[in-house]
Amino acid sequence: MADFLTRRRFIASSAGLAGATALGGFALPARAASELTVGFIYVGPRDDYGYNQAHALGAAAVKAIEGVTVVEEENVAETQDVQQTMESMINFDGAGLLFPTSFGYFDPHILTVAPKNPDVRFEHCGGLWKEGMPANTGSYFGYIGMGQYLNGIAAGHASKSKKIGFVAAKPIPQVLLNVNSFLLGARSVDPTITCQVIFTGEWSMAVKEAEATNALADAGADVITCHVDSPKVVIETAASRGAFVCGYHADQSSLAPEKYLTGAEWNWAKVYTDMVSATMKGEPIPNFVRGGLSDGFVKMSPLGPGNSDAARNQFEATLAEIMKGGFSVIKGPLKDNAGKTVATEGQAFAETDVALESMGYLVDGVLGSTS
């Protein structure tokens, strides 16, 4: 926090970074090819048991690379604040590669700052980079819907009520794919299972997350998962209500050892170390980067004690199929929960299909609405 306050004072006292640069008093020092400063920006705390912690673990791996200096800033809002943080990391810390990690950082914030800093590389998690966007920007993400499908298999075997639940932040494509994948994984076990989804409207709002989890438990959901920044509240609340839980983003098994079935985790350490190493070698990073379980972008938490032998067998067999690549969760015949066909007989969307990143529907069997 002290470094951040220093950078913020620097911005204020210089009447803006552009003015300081124009005066010539804050020119960046020349960097050897073997040295690089990398900035990581988080929307929440680095120890949130979730989204931000997963990225921070990746940043920790980068710190071990010789010649690399890592600067980090947590609790940066998806507002003008992130633009100031990016500018300060570039001008005050000399960052040549930035990882602003939250979904809302991309448009308009990264797309505003990047053209002003053509020699800096901006890599964003989850954004959909398209032709015509600044060449020094890029987006990366993982096929973690595969992990939620595996979560669903564990949930399908564990559920007695045939009702499972999902606490979600916002109905953006990545979240909808996770909700749909969780239900379809469960339905591979029992096609009568339904999944109630509750959207909180916030990436991090503990009160709303607790209320949503309790509402799902009250409605009979006996396995619950989520897609919010910090699953901690959902996991602990669900377990306290006697429900099994499936984790997301990072390993939350320590929060509910007896009730934790498994979890879909990010493995950003591989992604970040690969990108940093490429940058130090002067090698280009593709503007659009994606990977799944077989690429090491995603991993699964160990299976917990609540899994039956049948659950373990189906989980492991399906994981082996996914590891071969080209696995399709969304395949026909399939309708959304409003009765519209989203995949015809014989039609399948492999995990790599970019069309999934524009998903705007909930599949049949999911109880809830995107509006």
Side-chain angles (χ1 to χ4, degrees):
M1 181 60 73
D3 288 345
F4 176 63
L5 291 174
T6 303
R7 287 196 293 268
R8 294 298 292 271
R9 291 190 189 106
F10 167 76
I11 294 171
S13 65
S14 302
L17 291 169
T21 302
L23 292 172
F26 297 99
L28 295 181
R31 271 198 311 268
S34 59
E35 297 178 354
L36 178 68
T37 297
V38 183
F40 289 87
I41 306 172
Y42 317 115
V43 73
R46 285 173 286 185
D47 57 353
D48 66 352
Y49 282 92
Y51 184 83
N52 298 291
Q53 182 168 315
H55 287 291
L57 289 171
V62 172
K63 292 176 185 178
I65 300 176
E66 186 177 356
V68 173
T69 299
V70 171
V71 292
E72 300 172 274
E73 191 57 55
E74 59 187 355
N75 298 313
V76 180
E78 295 174 329
T79 64
Q80 189 75 18
D81 287 357
V82 72
Q83 293 191 35
Q84 294 181 353
T85 297
M86 287 187 284
E87 294 276 15
S88 67
M89 284 183 171
I90 294 165
N91 291 280
F92 190 81
D93 299 300
L97 174 61
L98 292 181
F99 292 101
T101 58
S102 191
F103 183 82
Y105 290 164
F106 189 62
D107 188 0
H109 306 298
I110 290 175
L111 298 182
T112 297
V113 176
K116 303 174 186 177
N117 299 277
D119 295 330
V120 177
R121 182 73 184 184
F122 297 77
E123 284 293 329
H124 178 258
C125 182
L128 193 58
W129 188 91
K130 300 176 182 178
E131 290 291 340
M133 291 181 174
N136 61 326
T137 64
S139 70
Y140 60 95
F141 205 60
Y143 306 127
I144 203 165
M146 298 294 109
Q148 281 288 13
Y149 186 81
L150 290 165
N151 276 351
I153 290 174
H157 281 279
S159 179
K160 303 301 182 186
S161 66
K162 305 306 175 186
K163 298 177 181 180
I164 58 178
F166 203 114
V167 178
K170 301 180 182 184
I172 63 171
Q174 292 95 331
V175 176
L176 297 178
L177 178 58
N178 281 329
V179 176
N180 293 334
S181 298
F182 184 58
L183 180 277
L184 292 171
R187 283 200 159 184
S188 73
V189 179
D190 185 336
T192 68
I193 291 176
T194 59
C195 177
Q196 176 76 54
V197 60
I198 297 178
F199 292 100
T200 66
E202 305 285 347
W203 291 116
S204 183
M205 184 64 71
V207 172
K208 289 185 177 181
E209 291 158 12
E211 290 174 347
T213 306
N214 279 314
L216 292 172
D218 290 343
D222 56 2
V223 186
I224 296 173
T225 191
C226 62
H227 185 157
V228 295
D229 272 2
S230 175
K232 185 175 188 292
V233 170
V234 174
I235 297 296
E236 291 181 331
T237 303
S240 73
R241 294 295 304 274
F244 283 106
V245 292
C246 292
Y248 190 64
H249 291 315
D251 186 353
Q252 294 99 36
S253 59
S254 63
L255 300 175
E258 298 303 313
K259 290 295 185 179
Y260 196 83
L261 295 174
T262 185
E265 300 181 35
W266 295 111
N267 185 27
W268 294 129
K270 171 177 171 50
V271 180
Y272 290 152
T273 55
D274 284 353
M275 287 186 173
V276 169
S277 296
T279 301
M280 296 186 76
K281 293 175 184 177
E283 298 173 353
I285 302 173
N287 297 103
F288 190 81
V289 176
R290 297 293 188 270
L293 284 156
S294 61
D295 305 293
F297 281 45
V298 179
K299 59 184 179 180
M300 297 302 296
S301 303
L303 292 169
N307 290 281
S308 65
D309 288 341
R312 292 174 181 273
N313 290 339
Q314 185 178 350
F315 179 98
E316 295 294 349
T318 306
L319 175 59
E321 287 299 312
I322 292 174
M323 292 294 283
K324 295 177 183 178
F327 192 87
S328 297
V329 168
I330 305 298
K331 56 187 177 182
L334 183 65
K335 294 183 177 182
D336 66 17
N337 64 1
K340 180 182 177 181
T341 297
V342 295
T344 59
E345 181 73 42
Q347 185 179 21
F349 295 85
E351 63 179 3
T352 55
D353 197 320
V354 73
L356 296 177
E357 299 201 36
S358 299
M359 182 173 286
Y361 58 83
L362 294 167
V363 298
D364 180 43
V366 177
L367 310 178
S369 172
T370 59
S371 59

